[in-house]
Amino acid sequence: MFQYFITVVPTKLHTYKISADTHQFSVTERERVINHAAGSHGVSGIFVKYDTSSLMVTVREQHMPLWQFLVRLCGIIGGIFSTTGKFNTRLKIEPLLITRKSLYNAHIPVLVI
């Protein structure tokens, strides 16, 4: 038995060059072997289920202004600098803390600055 499920979604497309009313299609295929001797029952054939969506998709093309792009870019760069700064500080301080802890456990006096 072969089953095909076809879904159609109405779509409106708006770009700077064109505006169009169109449709998007999706197809799902399912195959099942029918063997009455093995206990699988059903009718042999090819079945097509055609479904139209009640919702419409609207696609609009919008461009970001240059100033907004630059603000976002500065935010990303600032986040990278602050994150690498935190990692760098942690990598410098953590070996010192581990060394001091091991020295404290050995009961050796340590000069803490």
Side-chain angles (χ1 to χ4, degrees), residues 8-69:
V8 180
V9 179
T11 306
K12 286 188 177 185
L13 178 65
H14 299 286
T15 65
Y16 288 109
K17 293 184 178 182
I18 62 167
S19 289
D21 290 333
T22 182
H23 295 85
Q24 294 181 16
F25 297 91
S26 67
V27 178
T28 305
E29 176 183 353
R30 185 174 167 217
E31 178 182 349
R32 191 177 94 183
V33 178
I34 297 175
N35 187 357
H36 293 287
S40 174
H41 300 288
V43 179
S44 297
I46 298 174
F47 300 96
V48 177
K49 181 183 176 196
Y50 186 79
D51 185 27
T52 57
S53 177
S54 60
L55 299 176
M56 178 179 284
V57 175
T58 302
V59 179
R60 292 190 188 275
E61 180 182 13
Q62 292 181 332
H63 292 281
M64 185 184 315
L66 180 62
W67 67 269
Q68 190 176 8
F69 171 74

